[in-house]
Amino acid sequence: MAETYENAGGTTVPIVPYADPRGDPFLRTRFALPARPATFLWRQRLVQHLGQALVTPLTIVNGPAGAGKTLLAADWAAGLRQPVAWLTVEAGDRRPGVFWAYVLQALRACGASASDAVGAPADASRVDRKLLAALAAELNDRDRPVVLVLDEYDRMTDPEVTEQLEFVLHHAGSGLHLVLVTRTEPLLPLHRYRAAGELTEIRAAELAFTPEEAVALLELHGLSLPVPAACALVDRTRGWAAGLRLSALAALESADPELYLKEFDADRSTVADFLLAEVLRGQPEETQDLLLRVSVLERFSPELANALTLRTDAEPILAGLHRDNAFVEYLGHSSYQLHPLFREILRAHLRVRLPGLEPELHRRAARWLRRSGFLPETLAHGAAAGDWDFAAGALVDDLAIGQLFTGLRSDDLTQLFSHMGPEARSPATDVVRAARDLSRHDLDHGLARLRLAEEKLTDDVPDPAAAQLSCALLEALAARLTGCPPRAERAAVTADGLRQEVPAHLLDKHPELTALLLTHLGSARLWAGRFEDARAALTTAAAAPGGASTVLPREDALEHLALLDYLDGWLGRAERKALAAVSEMERVGLPQPSGSGIGQLVLAAVAVDRHELGRAQALLDETAQLPAGAHDPVPAAGRALATARLLLVRGKARAAVEAAGPDVSAAVASPWATSHEALVTAAAHVAEGRPDAAAEVLQGVSVDQPACAVEAAAIHLATGRPRVAIDLLDGLRTGSRAGPAVTVRAALVRARAAQEAGDTATARRLVAHALLDARRERLRRPFLDAGAWLGPLLATPPLHELAAGWLTPGSPRHGEQPEEPPMPLVAVELSGRERDVLERLARMMSTEEVAADLYVSVNTVKTHLKSVYRKLAVNRRGDAVRRARDLRLL
C-alpha cells in the first residue's frame, strides 16, 4: 500500500520518496503544520490581518523568539481551503539546491505537485535558472493560487537564495502567495512591495499580547486575573507570549496569583520553586546535574556538556529533554540552549546546591571552547572564571589582538578585559593591557605596558611569535599616534619577519591585523610627507578582505587616501573617497564613523576650496564631536588646515594663525603640516600688510610639496616678488601627481605675472585653461583669492563665458539657452530606505510621520537620517533636501 501524508490543508496525498540533492531523504516533519497546544489563544485581530496574505503576493510575520509567530501562521494556514505548502527552514537550506529541493517537495506535499518540466535540483550548491523559470511559469498558470509558508526564514542568510525567491515570486504572478515567518528582516526589496501595496506585514508590536488578550490567555490556564493586574503583567513582559505563558504556569502554584504576578522575579520567587519542582526535580540525578552545570553556558553541544559533567551521556539526555519540551531548545547542528528564564533559575540553584563550582565550570568550558576554535566564547568563560592569563593568552595566541581596535566586537572585548586585575601578570595580559590603553589613546600607560610585554617576551616564552606580532601592531599604532615614522617602519619590518613564523591560517582568519598594520604605516608615511609610499600601503589596506572585521581600517585607509588626494590637489577624487569610506562602513552594518573624522575634514577642506562656507563650517562642527582623533597627528593637522583656511576666507587672520598649528606633539615634524601652517601665517601677514614678515615665514615651506610650493609662489607674487614666484613654479618636480587645485593656482600665478609684465594675451590664455580645469572640480577659491587684477580679464567675453553660472553671476553671453548643469562629480549612493526617508523629508514630514508612513520605529528613521546626512555631508534636514536636489537624487 502506498504511503500517504496529510498536508497542511488536511488532504491525504501520497508521498513520493524523493531525496534532496545531497542524497538524504526529505524530513517530513518540516512540511507538517506545528501542533497548537490546548492553551493556544486564537486572536481574531491577527487572523484577520493575516487574511490579507491571500490578497498580496508577499506577507511578513516578523518578531522575536517566543512571540507566537509560528503558532499564529499554523493556525491560520490550517483553516484555509486552498493548497498550503509549509516548510520549516533550517540552516542547511542556505545552499540553493537544498533549499529549492525542499520547496518543491513542500509543494508536492500539499498537492500542488510540480510537473516533470520543472525538474529537481541536482546540485546542492546551485540551481539552474531554467528550473526557477519553469516553476514560476507553472505557478502562474494555476487556477487556484498556492500559499507557501516559510517558517523560521531568518535561518536563510544566503542573498542568492533570496534573490531567486524574489524572482519566482515576481514571475509566479497571482499563482503564489508567499508568507515568511522570521525573526529578522528578509533581504527582499520590501520597499517596492510596500509602495505598490503588495505587502502584508505583522510585526513584533502587533504580535504582543494586549491586556485583554493576556486575561484570556490566563483563563485558558485556569487563572482569573482582573484587567489592571493583567496590564501590569503585560508591561513587565512587554506582551511577550512565552513570558506570559511561563508566568501563568508559575502563578497556578500561587495562593495570590495577582500578587505573585506583580512580584515576579525569576530566581527569588515561586516561579523558581515551580520550575525546579516540576522540571528539575522530576528528572534523574544525572539529568539534574547536567542541567545545573550547563546553566553557565549560553548555548552548548553535547560534547561541551560532557566536558562540564566529566561524563559521556549528554547527547541522549539533551535529546530527551528537547523531545519532552523540558525548557531545552534545539538550535540545529547538535547545538542546544536552555530557555533564558529556566537558565537564570538554574544558575541561582547551582550556587546553592554546588557552591564554588561555577568558576571551575567556566574554566572547563573555556578550555574546551579554545580547543574547538570558539574564541569569543573562550574569552567570555575565561573571564567569568577569573583566569585572565588564560583569556589574554587565547586572544593573543589567536592573533585576535586587532579585534580590540576594529570590527563589531571591540567594545565587548574592551569591556570584558576592563575587569582584569593586577594579579594577572603574563606577557599576554601585558599585551592586552597595552592594546586596551592605546585603543583609548592613553599613550603613557600604553607605551609603558608595551615595553613591559616586550621585555617579558625576550625571556624563555614558548612560541612567542603571535605575541611578538601583536606587539609589532601596537608599535605601529604607537608610532602613528606619536608621529614617529621611523618607528612605524621598524614595526613593519619586524611584522614582515614574524609573519613567516605564525601559522598561515591565523593570518587568514584575522585579516584585520594586516589591515591595521598597513593603515598605521600609511598614516605615519603620510605624516612624513612620503605620499607615494603612503599611498601604496593605504591602497593595500583599503582593499583588505574580511567584511566587518576590516571595515574600520578600510574606512581609515580610504579617508587617509582622500586626504592624500586633497593635498595633491584632486578635489573630486578626495570627495569621492571620503564619501566611499562612509558607504563602506554602512555596507557591513556599522552606521557610526570611526572617530578620527578625517573624511569630514577632507569634505570641509574641499567645501572651502569650492567656496561652500556654510557646508564647510557644518562639517567642521561635526568633527568637533569626534575627539578620538585629537591624539593622532594626521587628523589633528587636517582639522587645523581646514579650520585655518575657513577662518582666512572669512577674514579672521589672527584666529587662522592660532588654528593653523596642530594641537598635538609629534616626534618628527611633518613637512606638509609645517608648510601649510607657514602658508596660513604668511597669508595672515599679507592680509595685515606685512609682506616682509610673510616672505620670512615662507622660508619654512617645503618646495617638495607641489601644493605648498604653488601657494608660496602666489604669496610671493602678491608681495611683489614675481621672480621668486616663477622660480618656485619652474622648480617643481616633473611627473608629480598634482591635480587641478594645484595646476589652477599655478596657472593663475603665471597669468598674474604675465599680466603685470604686459603680456595680456598669455594671461588670458592661462586664465582660460585655469577656468576650464576649475569648472570640472567646481573650484572657486583660487579665483576669489587672486585679487583685483583678475576682474577685468574675467569681464572679457571669452573668459566671461567660461566663468558665468558657476564662478560669476549670470549666464553665458550666447543667444542660446544655458546648458544643463553638469552631473555631479561625486556619486552619492543612497539605499532604498534612505531614499524613502529623504523623499518624505522633502514633503516636510516630521520624524514621527515618516516612521508611521514607513511602518518603522522613530529610532530607525533617526538612524537613516544620520546616514543620509553623512553621505550628503550636511547636518540639517533642509540642507539634505537641497543637496539631494543638486545631486539629482530627488
Side-chain angles (χ1 to χ4, degrees), residues 760-781:
T760 302
T762 298
R764 286 179 178 172
R765 176 176 54 79
L766 289 168
V767 172
H769 282 302
L771 286 168
L772 286 170
D773 288 344
R775 184 169 62 178
R776 286 192 290 270
E777 296 272 357
R778 305 197 304 280
L779 177 62
R780 300 180 180 92
R781 197 68 247 160

Side-chain angles (χ1 to χ4, degrees), residues 167-373:
F167 170 82
V168 172
L169 178 62
H170 176 72
H171 292 287
S174 61
L176 176 65
H177 295 292
L178 177 63
V179 180
L180 301 182
V181 183
T182 177
R183 297 184 188 180
T184 60
E185 196 80 351
L187 299 176
L188 291 165
L190 299 183
H191 62 281
R192 293 211 302 263
Y193 289 94
R194 189 178 293 119
E198 296 179 340
L199 177 63
T200 299
E201 296 182 84
I202 296 179
R203 295 188 175 270
E206 190 175 357
L207 288 167
F209 275 67
T210 66
E212 294 75 17
E213 290 169 344
V215 169
L217 178 66
L218 292 171
E219 287 177 351
L220 290 174
H221 287 79
L223 292 170
S224 178
L225 197 68
V227 172
C231 288
L233 178 61
V234 168
D235 285 342
R236 296 201 60 188
T237 62
R238 301 296 188 267
W240 180 46
L244 289 169
R245 290 190 173 92
L246 288 171
S247 301
L249 289 172
L252 285 171
E253 299 296 309
S254 173
D256 188 344
E258 183 175 350
L259 179 62
Y260 166 79
L261 292 172
K262 185 183 297 185
E263 297 177 350
F264 177 74
D265 193 338
D267 61 349
R268 296 187 182 91
S269 68
T270 53
V271 176
D273 295 337
F274 170 77
L275 288 175
L276 291 174
E278 297 299 321
V279 179
L280 183 65
R281 291 173 188 148
Q283 301 292 343
E285 189 66 29
E286 295 82 2
T287 302
Q288 292 187 39
D289 182 69
L290 182 144
L291 286 171
L292 288 171
R293 290 168 183 260
V294 298
S295 68
V296 303
L297 304 169
E298 291 285 345
R299 59 180 60 196
F300 48 89
S301 66
E303 294 77 14
L304 177 53
N306 285 334
L308 269 59
T309 63
L310 303 180
R311 304 198 310 263
T312 59
D313 56 356
E315 186 167 7
I317 291 176
L318 292 171
L321 289 168
H322 171 65
R323 186 170 57 251
D324 296 339
N325 295 314
F327 295 91
V328 175
E329 302 171 3
Y330 181 63
L331 305 175
H333 298 291
S334 298
S335 182
Y336 294 86
Q337 70 177 11
L338 298 176
H339 186 281
L341 181 61
F342 189 37
R343 176 173 177 260
E344 184 180 347
I345 293 167
L346 286 172
R347 287 192 70 179
H349 193 59
L350 170 68
R351 295 172 188 136
V352 174
R353 184 192 273 192
L354 300 169
L357 182 61
E358 189 171 354
E360 175 59 25
L361 294 175
H362 283 296
R363 191 172 290 107
R364 292 180 192 174
R367 278 153 176 75
W368 186 92
L369 289 162
R370 184 176 184 182
R371 290 193 300 271
S372 302

Side-chain angles (χ1 to χ4, degrees), residues 565 568-571 573 736-745 777 779:
D565 282 334
D568 279 335
W570 297 96
L571 270 61
R573 294 181 187 176
S736 69
R737 300 174 60 94
V742 176
T743 58
V744 165
R745 285 184 170 90
E777 296 272 357
L779 177 62

Side-chain angles (χ1 to χ4, degrees), residues 745-809:
R745 285 184 170 90
L748 290 177
V749 171
R750 292 185 185 277
R752 180 176 182 178
Q755 178 76 350
E756 291 177 355
D759 189 353
T760 302
T762 298
R764 286 179 178 172
R765 176 176 54 79
L766 289 168
V767 172
H769 282 302
L771 286 168
L772 286 170
D773 288 344
R775 184 169 62 178
R776 286 192 290 270
E777 296 272 357
R778 305 197 304 280
L779 177 62
R780 300 180 180 92
R781 197 68 247 160
F783 300 93
L784 299 177
D785 292 339
W789 69 273
L790 186 59
L793 286 179
L794 291 179
T796 59
L799 299 182
H800 176 82
E801 293 168 4
L802 291 174
W806 70 276
L807 179 61
T808 60

Side-chain angles (χ1 to χ4, degrees), residues 118-142:
V118 175
D123 187 340
S125 63
R126 61 180 298 275
V127 173
D128 194 328
R129 193 77 166 184
K130 293 179 180 179
L131 183 151
L132 300 177
L135 174 60
E138 188 166 299
L139 289 170
N140 190 39
D141 291 340
R142 288 184 59 86

Side-chain angles (χ1 to χ4, degrees), residues 821-840:
M823 288 297 290
L825 293 171
V826 183
V828 178
E829 295 184 3
L830 300 180
S831 69
R833 182 48 60 88
E834 289 166 354
R835 286 180 180 272
D836 291 341
V837 171
L838 189 57
E839 287 168 359
R840 285 156 179 79

Side-chain angles (χ1 to χ4, degrees), residues 563-576:
L563 179 57
L564 277 172
D565 282 334
Y566 175 79
L567 293 174
D568 279 335
W570 297 96
L571 270 61
R573 294 181 187 176
E575 188 174 31
R576 283 191 289 274

